[in-house]
Amino acid sequence: MGRKLEIFLVEMPLLAPFEISSGVSERRQCVIVRLEEDGLVGWGEAPADSQPFYSYETSETAFYIIKEFLSKPLMEAKDPNEFLNKVRNVRGHQMAKAGAEMALWDLEAKKASIPLWKLLGGVREEIESGVSVGIQRSVDELLRIVSSYLDEGYRRIKLKIKPGWDKDIVGAVRREYPDIKLQVDANAAYRLQDWPSLKELDKYELLMIEQPLDYDDLVDHSILAKMLKTPICLDESIKKPEDSYKAYRLGSCSIINLKPARVGGLLNSKIIHDFCESVGMPIWIGGMLETGIGRGHLVAAATLPNVKFPNDISASSRYYEEDIVDPPWELTSRGTIRAPGAPGIGVEVLEEKLRKFSLRSWSSS
Ligand code: OSB
Ligand code: MG
C-alpha cells in the first residue's frame, strides 16, 4: 500500500489561559498524525494536554504510545474498524488511539472524494456552536467575557464551576441574561456530600450540569441524578462504548458530552451515538481546545442525528491567534459552523505552520 506516517508533538499558544477546576492551560499541546497514501493525506489529532489533569493521558504519552504501539497497525489497517481490532490489546490510551484512527477516517473520505461528515452518516450541513468559558479572576471579568461571546453569536454558554465559584457566578450570569441557553461543567470537582451546593443550581434553569462528581464515577452520579432537577451530563466518566451502556442502565446521566478523542475515535463515537439514539438519550459534541485539525473531526461528529444540543465547537479565533488550517473555522451569522463540502475534514492543513509549532516529530521511514 505504501503508506507514510508522521507524528508531531505540537505546542500552540492559547489566546488566553483556560482554567477549569482541575488545572490551567496556557499553551496547548497535542499530537498531530499525518498519514499519507498515494498522494492523499489523512490527518488526526490526539488532544491530550501536557498535564494529566483531565485524564491520565498527556501529549508525551500519546506521542510515545502512537510511535511504539499504534504506528504499525496504523500502517497496515485497511479501515478504522480493522485498526481498532489490531490495537485491542493496548489498554486505554483512547486519545492516542483516536488521533491515529481519525487520520484513517480522513484518508478514507479523501480516497472516496467525499466530506468526512457524509462518510460518517451526518445529516446536517451546519452545526450549532456553543462556547465554554473558563474560571475567571472576578465576576465582572466573567460577565464581560460572556457578553462578548454572546455578541459574536454563540448559541449557548457553558460556565466552568468549582466549589466557591458556582452559585454566585451562575446567578450573576443568569440575572444578566434570563433567556440564554446556559449550562455548567464541574470537571469532577465535587463529592456526593456536596450535593446541597449543586441543589442550589436547580433554580437557574440550566440545560445540564456536566461531570459534577469523580472522573471515573458512575454510581454516585446515579444517586445525585435522583436528587437534582438539573439533568446530569457525563464527560470524563464515559471513556468507551460500554461506559455509555452502564451509565444508561444505572441512570448516572440523561445526556452525554461525546468527545471523539476521549472514547478512542470516531468509530467508537458512532457506536455510542447509535446506542444513545436507540435508548432516547441525547448527546452533543464536546471539545478539548483542538487545533483546526481535530476541530474538523468534531464538526463531522456534530452532524450526526442524535446530537440535540449546541456543541463545544467554537471558531478557531476563540482559541488561537493563528490556526494551522485554511480556512480557519468560522462562525456564521446564525451562530453555527458550516460542515465543509470539500473531501475529508474539508480544510487544508498549513504544513509550514504545523512544523513551526512542532516541538518534535517522528516518521515511519
Ligand atoms: O471538560 O469539556 C471539558 C477543555 C479542555 C478539557 C476539558 C474540557 C474543555 C472544555 C473546552 O470545556 C471545550 C472546547 O471549547 O474545546
Ligand atoms: Mg467537560
Side-chain angles (χ1 to χ4, degrees):
M1 229 169 357
R3 282 182 182 162
K4 184 177 183 236
L5 171 66
E6 214 172 347
I7 61 175
F8 302 86
L9 181 65
V10 166
E11 180 175 277
M12 285 173 48
L14 286 167
L15 275 177
F18 187 70
E19 179 169 349
I20 67 180
S21 67
S22 49
V24 193
S25 244
E26 297 194 6
R27 309 174 61 75
R28 183 69 193 169
Q29 288 196 3
C30 66
V31 177
I32 298 294
V33 179
R34 182 189 191 279
L35 185 63
E36 182 172 347
E37 182 183 322
D38 298 335
L40 294 174
V41 180
W43 294 94
E45 174 171 345
D49 204 356
S50 55
Q51 304 162 310
F53 296 162
Y54 168 83
S55 85
Y56 66 82
E57 288 188 85
T58 67
S59 40
E60 290 283 359
T61 68
F63 191 91
Y64 174 77
I65 293 288
I66 296 172
K67 175 163 81 76
E68 295 295 321
F69 302 104
L70 308 181
S71 57
K72 198 160 166 283
L74 184 56
M75 297 289 280
E76 293 167 355
K78 70 173 190 304
D79 57 31
N81 186 44
E82 192 177 303
F83 172 73
L84 280 195
N85 278 326
K86 282 178 185 285
V87 302
R88 214 178 20 214
N89 291 342
V90 176
R91 307 301 189 207
H93 295 283
Q94 302 295 60
M95 292 195 211
K97 287 175 186 165
E101 192 243 28
M102 285 170 177
L104 267 181
W105 277 98
D106 186 30
L107 189 61
E108 195 167 315
K110 283 167 176 165
K111 277 195 210 167
S113 260
I114 54 171
L116 175 59
W117 66 272
K118 287 193 177 162
L119 178 63
L120 258 188
V123 295
R124 61 179 72 90
E125 310 221 335
E126 48 189 286
I127 62 123
E128 278 192 276
S129 224
V131 63
S132 172
V133 184
I135 293 166
Q136 306 297 321
R137 274 187 306 255
S138 70
V139 180
D140 284 350
E141 187 70 22
L142 176 68
L143 288 171
R144 257 196 304 280
I145 289 172
V146 168
S147 147
S148 75
Y149 285 141
L150 291 171
D151 288 346
E152 284 179 56
Y154 286 105
R155 289 202 182 182
R156 172 279 268 152
I157 298 288
K158 170 169 128 181
L159 302 174
K160 292 291 186 174
I161 59 167
K162 64 177 180 182
W165 182 264
D166 44 24
K167 46 193 174 296
D168 296 345
I169 62 119
V170 175
V173 172
R174 188 42 107 199
R175 266 189 299 283
E176 195 80 16
Y177 306 103
D179 300 323
I180 59 167
K181 288 185 181 167
L182 186 64
Q183 66 194 60
V184 295
D185 184 0
N187 288 105
Y190 297 84
R191 303 285 91 126
L192 186 56
Q193 65 260 28
D194 302 327
W195 70 270
S197 306
L198 300 171
K199 186 77 196 152
E200 292 204 44
L201 298 176
D202 269 353
K203 58 174 173 283
Y204 298 118
E205 309 263 351
L206 302 176
L207 290 176
M208 66 194 80
I209 173 168
E210 187 176 330
Q211 196 73 36
L213 308 180
D214 198 42
Y215 71 95
D216 257 342
D217 173 76
L218 292 175
V219 172
D220 282 358
H221 279 104
S222 78
I223 298 169
L224 183 65
K226 296 192 187 75
M227 303 163 88
L228 303 183
K229 187 183 93 193
T230 310
I232 291 182
C233 169
L234 286 178
D235 173 352
E236 283 90 330
S237 289
I238 309 296
K239 298 167 175 79
K240 50 185 177 178
E242 291 82 350
D243 295 333
S244 59
Y245 169 76
K246 291 178 190 167
Y248 169 71
R249 290 303 300 251
L250 285 170
S252 314
C253 64
S254 47
I255 304 168
I256 286 177
N257 167 352
L258 179 61
K259 291 182 180 173
R262 192 196 59 224
V263 301
L266 289 172
L267 189 58
N268 279 346
S269 295
K270 276 220 18 140
I271 292 169
I272 293 174
H273 168 276
D274 293 353
F275 169 73
C276 289
E277 185 172 45
S278 76
V279 298
M281 181 150 72
I283 69 165
W284 51 281
I285 306 301
M288 296 281 299
L289 313 176
E290 279 88 346
T291 75
I293 294 172
R295 198 156 304 281
H297 291 274
L298 299 180
V299 168
T303 65
L304 290 170
N306 193 41
V307 171
K308 305 284 193 192
F309 292 94
N311 308 283
D312 273 352
I313 308 176
S314 310
S316 293
S317 63
R318 178 255 175 273
Y319 310 94
Y320 302 106
E321 178 90 40
E322 38 174 356
D323 204 341
I324 54 175
V325 298
D326 184 56
W329 295 97
E330 280 168 350
L331 217 56
T332 67
S333 56
R334 294 172 298 286
T336 63
I337 290 177
R338 251 187 294 274
I345 57 172
V347 290
E348 212 167 306
V349 174
L350 301 169
E351 299 210 25
E352 293 263 296
K353 267 195 194 167
L354 167 64
R355 281 165 213 276
K356 179 182 102 182
F357 288 124
S358 200
L359 302 175
R360 204 156 77 243
S361 69
W362 172 85
S363 79
S364 60
S365 51

